[in-house]
Amino acid sequence: MKKVIIATLLFTMLHSCMGCSDSQSDMEPIPVPQEEYMASDMVIYEANPRIFAEENAFSAIKAELDRIQSLGTTVLWLMPVNEPGVLKSVNSPYCIKDYKKLNTRYGTKKDLKELVDAAHAKGMKVILDWVANHTSWDNAWVTEHPDWYTQDANGNVVQPQEQPWADVADLNFDNEIMQQAMIDAMKYWVTEIGIDGYRCDYAEGVPDAFWKKAIAELRTLDNNLLMLAEGGKTSLMNNGFNLLYGWNFHSKLKDYYAGKCSLTDLYAMNTSELEGMPKGTLRLRYSTNHDQASEASPIECYGGERGAMSAFVLTTMLEGIPLIYSSQEVAYPRSLNFFNYGVIDLKSNEVFAQEMAEIIRAYKATSSVRGGELEVYTTGDVASFYRAAGSHGMLVMVNTANESVQVKVPMEHAGKTMTDVIAGVDVKLPTVMTMEPYQYFIYQQ
């Protein structure tokens, strides 16, 4: 839990149980309804309103729902929609002035409700980004309830000490009144708009006890809410979250394509990241998101359009729930700083988008085997892996190099007749095949 900076160790220990009526129960995992959300066809699309429109982004996103759904999307994640702060601002959408108000440039409550209703009519769910760790400096809480914030020795509200975020004020989760105000605000959008859950920003910066309490209360409104934690610690799952980030895998994926680690290292990270995860739970896997795209586009990270597509295939098919970030589907070639407004044409590369949709179709078509036993192969620059479930199996081969390679088909699969899921034809696998730069195959039997 967060404490006043000058607090002593004893003070910290004494207050670590504040608000805990039953210390034993706080140690026990909260049962999480996984069946619906761990379904094998889940695909999340992260929508950055600032690249959809300069004004009235809710309506602009609504107008794009058919295209978004055509990618295979089942969950629409809207980046922060709340009113942003101005004082000390760097124009970040993660700097919240009022948790119960919207960014007026995006639209009205009516516009948001219409977007959510339209997504629901298409069978998609909608989750909002929630920023619990901090607020803007001009949030009314700063002046009305300074005790709701972390303070220094002189009683001054401070920024988060563990992060270089000078534009925001750090909330003090020792204050139970603040906690309840936060939970009340989270409930507001569930009851008023009918959203289906939250992606919780910087989840590891907020005490577990708060998440456990908040998620339990939220699920009294809707037991099937999807709660995605922006964090990697498996302990977050004990608080009621459905999904965690695949931080480490993504970092290793970039290193691998940059030639800084081996395929064996990448496979090992995949295994390591899943260790300790509760049975039936998964991680969000991605080749880019809003943070990564602000630094470099997938085109820059993975060796051009074909490299970016190969990284998407590898990420999507190996493990976890796939994410598509708005702009990724058109192979946007440059970084996109999400602090800025910058509308791009999300229909500018239909061929690339259709290929991504085909990969997602393959992801869904292989759902019956993706939970099966995984066998990986280190075949030069070709990432090959096989999943088996009963008499069925899936073999994926991805050339991660920008050159043609000859590669041996894993011995136990050479000669098999399998279905090329993308092409929709049966093929007899050879002993050796030539793969073009960044080419990939997804086979199923």
Side-chain angles (χ1 to χ4, degrees):
M1 293 186 177
K2 289 186 179 159
K3 303 291 177 282
V4 176
I5 294 172
I6 61 170
T8 64
L9 177 61
L10 178 60
F11 183 92
T12 301
M13 292 173 64
L14 288 172
H15 283 70
S16 63
C17 291
M18 285 184 65
C20 305
S21 59
D22 185 343
S23 59
Q24 179 60 32
S25 65
D26 281 342
M27 299 297 292
E28 297 172 355
I30 290 181
V32 179
Q34 296 290 348
E35 184 175 353
E36 179 179 358
Y37 288 114
M38 294 301 96
S40 53
D41 66 348
M42 180 187 283
V43 177
I44 300 178
Y45 182 93
E46 180 187 4
N48 177 354
R50 299 182 179 196
I51 67 174
F52 279 84
E54 293 279 353
E55 303 284 345
N56 301 315
F58 295 144
S59 296
I61 297 171
K62 178 186 171 187
E64 294 287 338
L65 283 179
D66 283 340
R67 183 190 60 78
I68 291 171
Q69 186 178 45
S70 74
L71 294 169
T73 301
T74 62
V75 177
L76 176 64
W77 156 18
L78 299 177
M79 287 176 62
V81 298
N82 303 98
E83 179 184 14
V86 176
L87 182 63
K88 300 185 183 181
S89 171
V90 293
N91 208 33
S92 170
Y94 290 88
C95 176
I96 306 302
K97 182 177 181 180
D98 194 317
Y99 286 111
K100 289 187 177 181
K101 289 184 179 179
L102 295 171
N103 184 334
T104 56
R105 288 187 67 170
Y106 294 173
T108 64
K109 277 180 62 177
K110 179 175 180 291
D111 296 329
L112 178 59
K113 184 69 166 63
E114 289 178 352
L115 168 58
V116 172
D117 288 347
H120 286 170
K122 295 180 182 298
M124 289 186 285
K125 298 186 180 295
V126 181
I127 62 174
L128 300 184
D129 226 318
W130 193 261
V131 188
N133 183 72
H134 47 261
T135 74
S136 72
W137 288 99
D138 48 3
N139 189 302
W141 290 2
V142 175
T143 53
E144 295 175 3
H145 307 285
D147 57 317
W148 290 10
Y149 291 84
T150 306
Q151 300 175 11
D152 63 17
N154 297 316
N156 300 310
V157 174
V158 298
Q159 71 181 68
Q161 295 301 289
E162 66 278 16
Q163 299 290 348
W165 301 332
D167 62 320
V168 292
D170 193 54
L171 285 166
N172 173 20
F173 279 85
D174 283 341
N175 193 302
E176 295 185 22
I177 299 176
M178 184 281 291
Q179 288 189 36
Q180 200 56 53
M182 177 77 68
I183 293 170
D184 178 62
M186 296 181 80
K187 288 180 175 180
Y188 177 83
W189 298 105
V190 176
T191 57
E192 291 292 312
I193 304 298
I195 65 162
D196 304 290
Y198 288 102
R199 176 268 187 188
C200 297
D201 183 68
Y202 190 39
E204 293 175 1
V206 174
D208 288 338
F210 170 77
W211 288 130
K212 190 171 289 189
K213 178 181 179 182
I215 294 173
E217 289 198 29
L218 285 167
R219 289 213 167 102
T220 64
L221 303 177
D222 182 352
N223 191 50
N224 289 315
L225 289 179
L226 171 60
M227 300 299 294
L228 164 61
E230 188 206 19
K233 296 191 306 183
T234 56
S235 60
L236 285 166
M237 302 300 283
N238 295 333
N239 303 328
F241 284 105
N242 302 88
L243 280 172
L244 300 183
Y245 262 47
W247 287 119
N248 296 332
F249 181 83
H250 173 261
S251 178
K252 191 65 70 175
L253 180 74
K254 289 201 303 180
D255 285 348
Y256 172 60
Y257 272 80
K260 297 178 180 179
C261 71
S262 68
L263 182 57
T264 300
D265 295 330
L266 183 64
Y267 287 148
M269 181 57 72
N270 177 63
T271 300
S272 173
E273 204 169 51
L274 297 176
E275 290 176 352
M277 292 284 288
K279 185 178 179 179
T281 63
L282 295 170
R283 288 185 181 270
L284 185 71
R285 286 286 175 82
Y286 49 90
S287 55
T288 192
N289 59 23
H290 67 276
D291 285 315
Q292 300 304 317
S294 289
E295 299 175 3
S297 77
I299 308 307
E300 296 169 311
C301 288
Y302 304 113
E305 283 195 19
R306 297 318 308 158
M309 189 64 75
S310 73
F312 181 70
V313 174
L314 179 53
T315 304
T316 298
M317 299 305 298
L318 182 59
E319 204 83 58
I321 300 296
L323 173 74
I324 300 171
Y325 175 57
S326 48
S327 74
Q328 184 177 3
E329 69 266 42
V330 296
Y332 193 76
R334 298 180 298 280
S335 62
L336 280 167
N337 189 328
F338 65 89
F339 287 11
N340 302 323
Y341 286 78
V343 179
I344 66 174
D345 183 359
L346 293 172
K347 298 177 182 176
S348 61
N349 195 337
E350 292 291 351
V351 172
F352 194 86
Q354 288 170 9
E355 186 175 356
M356 287 187 70
E358 283 297 300
I359 294 164
I360 294 298
R361 182 181 64 80
Y363 160 79
K364 295 182 179 184
T366 56
S367 62
S368 63
V369 298
R370 276 205 323 278
E373 183 179 351
L374 175 67
E375 181 75 26
V376 299
Y377 308 94
T378 52
T379 46
D381 289 319
V382 177
S384 301
F385 51 93
Y386 183 80
R387 281 200 181 276
S391 60
H392 298 285
M394 173 186 73
L395 176 66
V396 178
M397 302 180 70
V398 183
N399 182 6
T400 62
N402 190 20
E403 59 184 7
S404 297
V405 297
Q406 272 204 331
V407 59
K408 290 182 179 180
V409 174
M411 185 183 306
E412 58 266 43
H413 306 300
K416 283 184 179 179
T417 296
M418 302 184 75
T419 300
D420 182 324
V421 181
I422 299 295
V425 297
D426 291 342
V427 296
K428 183 177 181 179
L429 300 185
T431 302
V432 178
M433 68 168 65
T434 298
M435 297 186 70
E436 299 303 318
Y438 299 123
Q439 189 175 18
Y440 56 87
F441 294 104
I442 303 170
Y443 299 111
Q444 185 178 27
Q445 67 177 144

